[in-house]
Amino acid sequence: QVQLVESGGGSVQDGGSLRLSCTASGFTDDRGHCMGWFRQPPGKEREEVAAIYSTSGTTWYADSAEGRFTISQDNTKNTIYLQMNNLTPEDSATYYCAAEPPPTWQAYCEKGLTRFDDWGQGILVTVSS
């Protein structure tokens, strides 16, 4: 099982930026794997925001994130990031990091279709108007 620890959430005003981090531990081999960011606003379903495949660095974004959010990784630190710019109150949610241990289908990751097994505890992002 992969352990995931998120950091970097908090409160920001409309139009502001935040960067979330997620550090993973427990991967047992170096084959490619998929990691992603999800969010769940109060009273709504959880949705996938972005994903990244470890060996290629290829990414996928939800329409709501495209152009404003950037997912990236530092494989030397087993960490992924979510840079969020031009935030709006509609982005307020609990954000979750997720991982699918290898072997993971790269094609699924690149289409936002990976079924993730391991989850972080979540971190709150609040955007005020």
Side-chain angles (χ1 to χ4, degrees), residues 21-66:
S21 301
C22 172
T23 299
S25 60
F27 285 113
T28 57
D29 64 60
D30 293 332
R31 288 178 292 174
H33 59 267
C34 188
M35 292 187 68
W37 288 100
F38 286 70
R39 68 183 182 186
Q40 186 168 21
K44 296 184 179 180
E45 294 186 355
R46 187 164 55 188
E47 64 169 347
E48 187 172 5
V49 173
I52 188 166
Y53 194 73
S54 62
T55 52
S56 64
T58 52
T59 58
W60 172 88
Y61 295 96
D63 289 345
S64 58
E66 189 76 55

mmCIF file of all heavy atoms in Angstrom, residues 21-66:
data_model
loop_
_atom_site.group_PDB
_atom_site.id
_atom_site.type_symbol
_atom_site.label_atom_id
_atom_site.label_comp_id
_atom_site.label_asym_id
_atom_site.label_seq_id
_atom_site.Cartn_x
_atom_site.Cartn_y
_atom_site.Cartn_z
ATOM 1 N N SER A 21 1.164 19.899 -2.550
ATOM 2 C CA SER A 21 2.201 18.875 -2.677
ATOM 3 C C SER A 21 1.679 17.559 -2.129
ATOM 4 O O SER A 21 0.851 17.545 -1.214
ATOM 5 C CB SER A 21 3.461 19.277 -1.906
ATOM 6 O OG SER A 21 3.987 20.492 -2.369
ATOM 7 N N CYS A 22 2.167 16.482 -2.695
ATOM 8 C CA CYS A 22 1.807 15.149 -2.215
ATOM 9 C C CYS A 22 3.044 14.274 -2.291
ATOM 10 O O CYS A 22 3.575 14.032 -3.383
ATOM 11 C CB CYS A 22 0.691 14.560 -3.056
ATOM 12 S SG CYS A 22 0.312 12.823 -2.687
ATOM 13 N N THR A 23 3.494 13.797 -1.137
ATOM 14 C CA THR A 23 4.669 12.938 -1.071
ATOM 15 C C THR A 23 4.227 11.503 -0.829
ATOM 16 O O THR A 23 3.433 11.238 0.078
ATOM 17 C CB THR A 23 5.617 13.399 0.022
ATOM 18 O OG1 THR A 23 6.055 14.737 -0.282
ATOM 19 C CG2 THR A 23 6.830 12.489 0.105
ATOM 20 N N ALA A 24 4.737 10.617 -1.662
ATOM 21 C CA ALA A 24 4.356 9.212 -1.604
ATOM 22 C C ALA A 24 5.479 8.361 -1.033
ATOM 23 O O ALA A 24 6.657 8.642 -1.231
ATOM 24 C CB ALA A 24 4.008 8.710 -2.998
ATOM 25 N N SER A 25 5.092 7.317 -0.337
ATOM 26 C CA SER A 25 6.043 6.313 0.137
ATOM 27 C C SER A 25 5.388 4.948 0.015
ATOM 28 O O SER A 25 4.159 4.838 0.108
ATOM 29 C CB SER A 25 6.457 6.577 1.576
ATOM 30 O OG SER A 25 5.334 6.556 2.430
ATOM 31 N N GLY A 26 6.235 3.928 -0.242
ATOM 32 C CA GLY A 26 5.702 2.578 -0.307
ATOM 33 C C GLY A 26 5.645 1.972 -1.685
ATOM 34 O O GLY A 26 5.213 0.824 -1.830
ATOM 35 N N PHE A 27 6.081 2.714 -2.704
ATOM 36 C CA PHE A 27 6.177 2.077 -4.018
ATOM 37 C C PHE A 27 7.268 1.004 -3.943
ATOM 38 O O PHE A 27 8.359 1.266 -3.451
ATOM 39 C CB PHE A 27 6.519 3.094 -5.102
ATOM 40 C CG PHE A 27 5.368 3.973 -5.487
ATOM 41 C CD1 PHE A 27 5.379 5.331 -5.214
ATOM 42 C CD2 PHE A 27 4.268 3.437 -6.141
ATOM 43 C CE1 PHE A 27 4.322 6.146 -5.578
ATOM 44 C CE2 PHE A 27 3.203 4.234 -6.504
ATOM 45 C CZ PHE A 27 3.231 5.600 -6.218
ATOM 46 N N THR A 28 6.973 -0.160 -4.473
ATOM 47 C CA THR A 28 7.892 -1.280 -4.310
ATOM 48 C C THR A 28 8.744 -1.541 -5.535
ATOM 49 O O THR A 28 9.659 -2.363 -5.468
ATOM 50 C CB THR A 28 7.107 -2.555 -3.959
ATOM 51 O OG1 THR A 28 6.139 -2.803 -4.991
ATOM 52 C CG2 THR A 28 6.400 -2.386 -2.624
ATOM 53 N N ASP A 29 8.458 -0.860 -6.654
ATOM 54 C CA ASP A 29 9.325 -1.013 -7.812
ATOM 55 C C ASP A 29 9.279 0.261 -8.654
ATOM 56 O O ASP A 29 8.543 1.189 -8.338
ATOM 57 C CB ASP A 29 8.945 -2.252 -8.644
ATOM 58 C CG ASP A 29 7.567 -2.169 -9.251
ATOM 59 O OD1 ASP A 29 7.324 -1.227 -10.035
ATOM 60 O OD2 ASP A 29 6.736 -3.059 -8.978
ATOM 61 N N ASP A 30 10.109 0.293 -9.676
ATOM 62 C CA ASP A 30 10.297 1.507 -10.459
ATOM 63 C C ASP A 30 9.473 1.543 -11.743
ATOM 64 O O ASP A 30 9.674 2.421 -12.578
ATOM 65 C CB ASP A 30 11.785 1.657 -10.821
ATOM 66 C CG ASP A 30 12.639 1.911 -9.601
ATOM 67 O OD1 ASP A 30 12.111 2.483 -8.626
ATOM 68 O OD2 ASP A 30 13.821 1.530 -9.629
ATOM 69 N N ARG A 31 8.569 0.604 -11.897
ATOM 70 C CA ARG A 31 7.739 0.661 -13.099
ATOM 71 C C ARG A 31 6.811 1.865 -13.038
ATOM 72 O O ARG A 31 6.552 2.429 -11.974
ATOM 73 C CB ARG A 31 6.914 -0.628 -13.229
ATOM 74 C CG ARG A 31 7.740 -1.847 -13.614
ATOM 75 C CD ARG A 31 6.869 -3.087 -13.667
ATOM 76 N NE ARG A 31 6.396 -3.463 -12.333
ATOM 77 C CZ ARG A 31 5.517 -4.438 -12.109
ATOM 78 N NH1 ARG A 31 5.014 -5.123 -13.132
ATOM 79 N NH2 ARG A 31 5.144 -4.730 -10.874
ATOM 80 N N GLY A 32 6.320 2.241 -14.205
ATOM 81 C CA GLY A 32 5.477 3.414 -14.277
ATOM 82 C C GLY A 32 4.211 3.285 -13.450
ATOM 83 O O GLY A 32 3.620 2.210 -13.332
ATOM 84 N N HIS A 33 3.798 4.390 -12.877
ATOM 85 C CA HIS A 33 2.562 4.418 -12.117
ATOM 86 C C HIS A 33 1.874 5.758 -12.331
ATOM 87 O O HIS A 33 2.467 6.725 -12.790
ATOM 88 C CB HIS A 33 2.824 4.197 -10.622
ATOM 89 C CG HIS A 33 3.748 5.213 -10.004
ATOM 90 N ND1 HIS A 33 5.102 5.010 -9.910
ATOM 91 C CD2 HIS A 33 3.496 6.434 -9.472
ATOM 92 C CE1 HIS A 33 5.655 6.067 -9.335
ATOM 93 N NE2 HIS A 33 4.710 6.937 -9.059
ATOM 94 N N CYS A 34 0.638 5.794 -11.989
ATOM 95 C CA CYS A 34 -0.178 6.998 -12.171
ATOM 96 C C CYS A 34 -0.486 7.615 -10.814
ATOM 97 O O CYS A 34 -0.781 6.902 -9.846
ATOM 98 C CB CYS A 34 -1.478 6.643 -12.886
ATOM 99 S SG CYS A 34 -2.480 8.073 -13.380
ATOM 100 N N MET A 35 -0.392 8.929 -10.758
ATOM 101 C CA MET A 35 -0.818 9.652 -9.567
ATOM 102 C C MET A 35 -1.733 10.785 -10.008
ATOM 103 O O MET A 35 -1.617 11.297 -11.121
ATOM 104 C CB MET A 35 0.373 10.196 -8.794
ATOM 105 C CG MET A 35 1.218 9.097 -8.163
ATOM 106 S SD MET A 35 2.515 9.726 -7.077
ATOM 107 C CE MET A 35 1.556 10.401 -5.719
ATOM 108 N N GLY A 36 -2.620 11.147 -9.135
ATOM 109 C CA GLY A 36 -3.590 12.161 -9.515
ATOM 110 C C GLY A 36 -4.049 13.023 -8.364
ATOM 111 O O GLY A 36 -3.769 12.731 -7.192
ATOM 112 N N TRP A 37 -4.731 14.077 -8.725
ATOM 113 C CA TRP A 37 -5.384 14.965 -7.760
ATOM 114 C C TRP A 37 -6.882 14.936 -8.013
ATOM 115 O O TRP A 37 -7.336 15.023 -9.157
ATOM 116 C CB TRP A 37 -4.881 16.394 -7.902
ATOM 117 C CG TRP A 37 -3.493 16.618 -7.407
ATOM 118 C CD1 TRP A 37 -2.342 16.690 -8.138
ATOM 119 C CD2 TRP A 37 -3.106 16.813 -6.047
ATOM 120 N NE1 TRP A 37 -1.264 16.901 -7.329
ATOM 121 C CE2 TRP A 37 -1.714 16.993 -6.026
ATOM 122 C CE3 TRP A 37 -3.804 16.871 -4.835
ATOM 123 C CZ2 TRP A 37 -0.995 17.212 -4.860
ATOM 124 C CZ3 TRP A 37 -3.094 17.084 -3.667
ATOM 125 C CH2 TRP A 37 -1.705 17.260 -3.686
ATOM 126 N N PHE A 38 -7.622 14.822 -6.927
ATOM 127 C CA PHE A 38 -9.075 14.877 -6.958
ATOM 128 C C PHE A 38 -9.522 16.007 -6.035
ATOM 129 O O PHE A 38 -8.763 16.473 -5.200
ATOM 130 C CB PHE A 38 -9.687 13.564 -6.442
ATOM 131 C CG PHE A 38 -9.570 12.407 -7.402
ATOM 132 C CD1 PHE A 38 -8.335 11.823 -7.657
ATOM 133 C CD2 PHE A 38 -10.689 11.889 -8.028
ATOM 134 C CE1 PHE A 38 -8.228 10.750 -8.533
ATOM 135 C CE2 PHE A 38 -10.593 10.812 -8.888
ATOM 136 C CZ PHE A 38 -9.354 10.247 -9.144
ATOM 137 N N ARG A 39 -10.787 16.397 -6.170
ATOM 138 C CA ARG A 39 -11.352 17.358 -5.228
ATOM 139 C C ARG A 39 -12.816 17.028 -4.979
ATOM 140 O O ARG A 39 -13.487 16.436 -5.826
ATOM 141 C CB ARG A 39 -11.206 18.789 -5.727
ATOM 142 C CG ARG A 39 -12.038 19.125 -6.955
ATOM 143 C CD ARG A 39 -11.746 20.547 -7.401
ATOM 144 N NE ARG A 39 -12.557 20.948 -8.553
ATOM 145 C CZ ARG A 39 -12.408 22.100 -9.193
ATOM 146 N NH1 ARG A 39 -11.483 22.986 -8.775
ATOM 147 N NH2 ARG A 39 -13.177 22.397 -10.220
ATOM 148 N N GLN A 40 -13.265 17.413 -3.805
ATOM 149 C CA GLN A 40 -14.658 17.197 -3.436
ATOM 150 C C GLN A 40 -15.198 18.430 -2.737
ATOM 151 O O GLN A 40 -14.861 18.685 -1.563
ATOM 152 C CB GLN A 40 -14.803 15.971 -2.536
ATOM 153 C CG GLN A 40 -16.247 15.615 -2.238
ATOM 154 C CD GLN A 40 -16.387 14.242 -1.599
ATOM 155 O OE1 GLN A 40 -15.435 13.712 -1.021
ATOM 156 N NE2 GLN A 40 -17.571 13.660 -1.693
ATOM 157 N N PRO A 41 -15.992 19.223 -3.431
ATOM 158 C CA PRO A 41 -16.630 20.383 -2.780
ATOM 159 C C PRO A 41 -17.683 19.903 -1.789
ATOM 160 O O PRO A 41 -18.208 18.783 -1.910
ATOM 161 C CB PRO A 41 -17.273 21.128 -3.954
ATOM 162 C CG PRO A 41 -16.611 20.592 -5.183
ATOM 163 C CD PRO A 41 -16.263 19.168 -4.866
ATOM 164 N N PRO A 42 -18.024 20.725 -0.811
ATOM 165 C CA PRO A 42 -19.039 20.331 0.169
ATOM 166 C C PRO A 42 -20.355 19.951 -0.507
ATOM 167 O O PRO A 42 -20.870 20.694 -1.346
ATOM 168 C CB PRO A 42 -19.201 21.591 1.025
ATOM 169 C CG PRO A 42 -17.914 22.317 0.864
ATOM 170 C CD PRO A 42 -17.452 22.034 -0.525
ATOM 171 N N GLY A 43 -20.880 18.781 -0.174
ATOM 172 C CA GLY A 43 -22.164 18.348 -0.708
ATOM 173 C C GLY A 43 -22.137 17.849 -2.130
ATOM 174 O O GLY A 43 -23.197 17.569 -2.718
ATOM 175 N N LYS A 44 -20.953 17.714 -2.716
ATOM 176 C CA LYS A 44 -20.853 17.275 -4.099
ATOM 177 C C LYS A 44 -19.975 16.034 -4.206
ATOM 178 O O LYS A 44 -19.292 15.664 -3.260
ATOM 179 C CB LYS A 44 -20.292 18.398 -4.980
ATOM 180 C CG LYS A 44 -21.181 19.625 -5.055
ATOM 181 C CD LYS A 44 -20.613 20.645 -6.018
ATOM 182 C CE LYS A 44 -21.515 21.871 -6.111
ATOM 183 N NZ LYS A 44 -20.972 22.884 -7.070
ATOM 184 N N GLU A 45 -20.009 15.402 -5.368
ATOM 185 C CA GLU A 45 -19.203 14.208 -5.579
ATOM 186 C C GLU A 45 -17.738 14.570 -5.809
ATOM 187 O O GLU A 45 -17.414 15.670 -6.248
ATOM 188 C CB GLU A 45 -19.739 13.421 -6.776
ATOM 189 C CG GLU A 45 -21.128 12.832 -6.555
ATOM 190 C CD GLU A 45 -21.564 11.949 -7.698
ATOM 191 O OE1 GLU A 45 -20.837 11.858 -8.713
ATOM 192 O OE2 GLU A 45 -22.638 11.337 -7.587
ATOM 193 N N ARG A 46 -16.882 13.592 -5.538
ATOM 194 C CA ARG A 46 -15.467 13.787 -5.795
ATOM 195 C C ARG A 46 -15.203 13.697 -7.284
ATOM 196 O O ARG A 46 -15.748 12.827 -7.961
ATOM 197 C CB ARG A 46 -14.660 12.738 -5.027
ATOM 198 C CG ARG A 46 -13.171 12.940 -5.083
ATOM 199 C CD ARG A 46 -12.458 12.124 -4.013
ATOM 200 N NE ARG A 46 -12.776 10.713 -4.066
ATOM 201 C CZ ARG A 46 -12.400 9.838 -3.146
ATOM 202 N NH1 ARG A 46 -11.716 10.247 -2.084
ATOM 203 N NH2 ARG A 46 -12.705 8.569 -3.278
ATOM 204 N N GLU A 47 -14.350 14.569 -7.794
ATOM 205 C CA GLU A 47 -14.016 14.584 -9.200
ATOM 206 C C GLU A 47 -12.499 14.607 -9.378
ATOM 207 O O GLU A 47 -11.778 15.211 -8.589
ATOM 208 C CB GLU A 47 -14.621 15.804 -9.909
ATOM 209 C CG GLU A 47 -14.089 17.132 -9.443
ATOM 210 C CD GLU A 47 -14.499 18.298 -10.320
ATOM 211 O OE1 GLU A 47 -14.991 18.062 -11.442
ATOM 212 O OE2 GLU A 47 -14.300 19.454 -9.890
ATOM 213 N N GLU A 48 -12.045 13.956 -10.437
ATOM 214 C CA GLU A 48 -10.628 13.977 -10.758
ATOM 215 C C GLU A 48 -10.295 15.300 -11.426
ATOM 216 O O GLU A 48 -11.030 15.765 -12.297
ATOM 217 C CB GLU A 48 -10.252 12.798 -11.661
ATOM 218 C CG GLU A 48 -8.770 12.665 -11.896
ATOM 219 C CD GLU A 48 -8.389 11.388 -12.622
ATOM 220 O OE1 GLU A 48 -9.297 10.646 -13.023
ATOM 221 O OE2 GLU A 48 -7.174 11.132 -12.775
ATOM 222 N N VAL A 49 -9.183 15.870 -11.005
ATOM 223 C CA VAL A 49 -8.767 17.177 -11.507
ATOM 224 C C VAL A 49 -7.616 17.050 -12.486
ATOM 225 O O VAL A 49 -7.601 17.705 -13.531
ATOM 226 C CB VAL A 49 -8.383 18.090 -10.330
ATOM 227 C CG1 VAL A 49 -7.796 19.389 -10.824
ATOM 228 C CG2 VAL A 49 -9.576 18.344 -9.433
ATOM 229 N N ALA A 50 -6.625 16.213 -12.144
ATOM 230 C CA ALA A 50 -5.434 16.075 -12.977
ATOM 231 C C ALA A 50 -4.746 14.761 -12.639
ATOM 232 O O ALA A 50 -4.927 14.224 -11.545
ATOM 233 C CB ALA A 50 -4.470 17.231 -12.753
ATOM 234 N N ALA A 51 -3.959 14.269 -13.592
ATOM 235 C CA ALA A 51 -3.203 13.041 -13.382
ATOM 236 C C ALA A 51 -1.875 13.137 -14.111
ATOM 237 O O ALA A 51 -1.738 13.888 -15.087
ATOM 238 C CB ALA A 51 -3.991 11.830 -13.861
ATOM 239 N N ILE A 52 -0.913 12.352 -13.631
ATOM 240 C CA ILE A 52 0.402 12.348 -14.254
ATOM 241 C C ILE A 52 0.971 10.941 -14.201
ATOM 242 O O ILE A 52 0.810 10.234 -13.198
ATOM 243 C CB ILE A 52 1.340 13.365 -13.565
ATOM 244 C CG1 ILE A 52 2.651 13.518 -14.340
ATOM 245 C CG2 ILE A 52 1.594 12.997 -12.109
ATOM 246 C CD1 ILE A 52 3.458 14.743 -13.912
ATOM 247 N N TYR A 53 1.633 10.547 -15.305
ATOM 248 C CA TYR A 53 2.236 9.225 -15.366
ATOM 249 C C TYR A 53 3.719 9.361 -15.062
ATOM 250 O O TYR A 53 4.408 10.192 -15.661
ATOM 251 C CB TYR A 53 2.021 8.601 -16.742
ATOM 252 C CG TYR A 53 2.315 7.125 -16.765
ATOM 253 C CD1 TYR A 53 1.440 6.219 -16.157
ATOM 254 C CD2 TYR A 53 3.459 6.638 -17.362
ATOM 255 C CE1 TYR A 53 1.703 4.866 -16.163
ATOM 256 C CE2 TYR A 53 3.736 5.284 -17.371
ATOM 257 C CZ TYR A 53 2.855 4.405 -16.771
ATOM 258 O OH TYR A 53 3.115 3.047 -16.773
ATOM 259 N N SER A 54 4.221 8.533 -14.171
ATOM 260 C CA SER A 54 5.520 8.776 -13.559
ATOM 261 C C SER A 54 6.694 8.727 -14.531
ATOM 262 O O SER A 54 7.584 9.577 -14.477
ATOM 263 C CB SER A 54 5.763 7.782 -12.423
ATOM 264 O OG SER A 54 5.772 6.461 -12.925
ATOM 265 N N THR A 55 6.738 7.740 -15.399
ATOM 266 C CA THR A 55 7.931 7.573 -16.230
ATOM 267 C C THR A 55 7.970 8.510 -17.427
ATOM 268 O O THR A 55 9.051 8.916 -17.853
ATOM 269 C CB THR A 55 8.048 6.131 -16.710
ATOM 270 O OG1 THR A 55 6.805 5.733 -17.318
ATOM 271 C CG2 THR A 55 8.359 5.190 -15.554
ATOM 272 N N SER A 56 6.815 8.872 -17.954
ATOM 273 C CA SER A 56 6.784 9.748 -19.131
ATOM 274 C C SER A 56 6.522 11.203 -18.782
ATOM 275 O O SER A 56 6.848 12.105 -19.558
ATOM 276 C CB SER A 56 5.705 9.276 -20.109
ATOM 277 O OG SER A 56 4.416 9.395 -19.514
ATOM 278 N N GLY A 57 5.889 11.444 -17.623
ATOM 279 C CA GLY A 57 5.507 12.809 -17.264
ATOM 280 C C GLY A 57 4.302 13.320 -18.009
ATOM 281 O O GLY A 57 3.945 14.498 -17.886
ATOM 282 N N THR A 58 3.654 12.448 -18.780
ATOM 283 C CA THR A 58 2.467 12.888 -19.500
ATOM 284 C C THR A 58 1.338 13.155 -18.520
ATOM 285 O O THR A 58 1.236 12.510 -17.471
ATOM 286 C CB THR A 58 2.021 11.856 -20.533
ATOM 287 O OG1 THR A 58 1.888 10.577 -19.907
ATOM 288 C CG2 THR A 58 3.023 11.764 -21.657
ATOM 289 N N THR A 59 0.503 14.107 -18.871
ATOM 290 C CA THR A 59 -0.518 14.599 -17.944
ATOM 291 C C THR A 59 -1.911 14.582 -18.564
ATOM 292 O O THR A 59 -2.081 14.509 -19.787
ATOM 293 C CB THR A 59 -0.201 16.034 -17.512
ATOM 294 O OG1 THR A 59 -0.134 16.863 -18.680
ATOM 295 C CG2 THR A 59 1.123 16.103 -16.764
ATOM 296 N N TRP A 60 -2.881 14.648 -17.692
ATOM 297 C CA TRP A 60 -4.292 14.768 -18.086
ATOM 298 C C TRP A 60 -4.935 15.795 -17.169
ATOM 299 O O TRP A 60 -4.607 15.864 -15.981
ATOM 300 C CB TRP A 60 -5.007 13.426 -17.943
ATOM 301 C CG TRP A 60 -6.493 13.541 -18.141
ATOM 302 C CD1 TRP A 60 -7.180 13.463 -19.313
ATOM 303 C CD2 TRP A 60 -7.470 13.787 -17.120
ATOM 304 N NE1 TRP A 60 -8.519 13.640 -19.086
ATOM 305 C CE2 TRP A 60 -8.728 13.843 -17.751
ATOM 306 C CE3 TRP A 60 -7.402 13.983 -15.736
ATOM 307 C CZ2 TRP A 60 -9.908 14.075 -17.054
ATOM 308 C CZ3 TRP A 60 -8.574 14.211 -15.033
ATOM 309 C CH2 TRP A 60 -9.801 14.255 -15.692
ATOM 310 N N TYR A 61 -5.873 16.594 -17.700
ATOM 311 C CA TYR A 61 -6.590 17.586 -16.910
ATOM 312 C C TYR A 61 -8.082 17.505 -17.190
ATOM 313 O O TYR A 61 -8.509 17.296 -18.334
ATOM 314 C CB TYR A 61 -6.123 19.000 -17.251
ATOM 315 C CG TYR A 61 -4.686 19.273 -16.895
ATOM 316 C CD1 TYR A 61 -3.681 19.148 -17.828
ATOM 317 C CD2 TYR A 61 -4.341 19.647 -15.587
ATOM 318 C CE1 TYR A 61 -2.362 19.393 -17.502
ATOM 319 C CE2 TYR A 61 -3.018 19.885 -15.244
ATOM 320 C CZ TYR A 61 -2.040 19.759 -16.215
ATOM 321 O OH TYR A 61 -0.735 19.995 -15.878
ATOM 322 N N ALA A 62 -8.852 17.733 -16.137
ATOM 323 C CA ALA A 62 -10.278 17.944 -16.312
ATOM 324 C C ALA A 62 -10.488 19.299 -16.981
ATOM 325 O O ALA A 62 -9.643 20.199 -16.889
ATOM 326 C CB ALA A 62 -10.980 17.914 -14.959
ATOM 327 N N ASP A 63 -11.619 19.447 -17.636
ATOM 328 C CA ASP A 63 -11.915 20.722 -18.295
ATOM 329 C C ASP A 63 -11.864 21.893 -17.318
ATOM 330 O O ASP A 63 -11.428 22.996 -17.654
ATOM 331 C CB ASP A 63 -13.302 20.658 -18.956
ATOM 332 C CG ASP A 63 -13.324 19.760 -20.184
ATOM 333 O OD1 ASP A 63 -12.230 19.420 -20.700
ATOM 334 O OD2 ASP A 63 -14.421 19.390 -20.617
ATOM 335 N N SER A 64 -12.288 21.644 -16.085
ATOM 336 C CA SER A 64 -12.329 22.706 -15.079
ATOM 337 C C SER A 64 -10.938 23.166 -14.665
ATOM 338 O O SER A 64 -10.783 24.259 -14.107
ATOM 339 C CB SER A 64 -13.099 22.234 -13.849
ATOM 340 O OG SER A 64 -12.500 21.077 -13.306
ATOM 341 N N ALA A 65 -9.935 22.332 -14.924
ATOM 342 C CA ALA A 65 -8.569 22.635 -14.520
ATOM 343 C C ALA A 65 -7.681 23.089 -15.678
ATOM 344 O O ALA A 65 -6.662 23.756 -15.452
ATOM 345 C CB ALA A 65 -7.933 21.408 -13.872
ATOM 346 N N GLU A 66 -8.062 22.734 -16.872
ATOM 347 C CA GLU A 66 -7.240 23.022 -18.047
ATOM 348 C C GLU A 66 -6.949 24.520 -18.164
ATOM 349 O O GLU A 66 -7.843 25.361 -18.087
ATOM 350 C CB GLU A 66 -7.979 22.546 -19.314
ATOM 351 C CG GLU A 66 -7.137 22.588 -20.565
ATOM 352 C CD GLU A 66 -6.126 21.453 -20.623
ATOM 353 O OE1 GLU A 66 -6.553 20.296 -20.506
ATOM 354 O OE2 GLU A 66 -4.927 21.744 -20.789
#
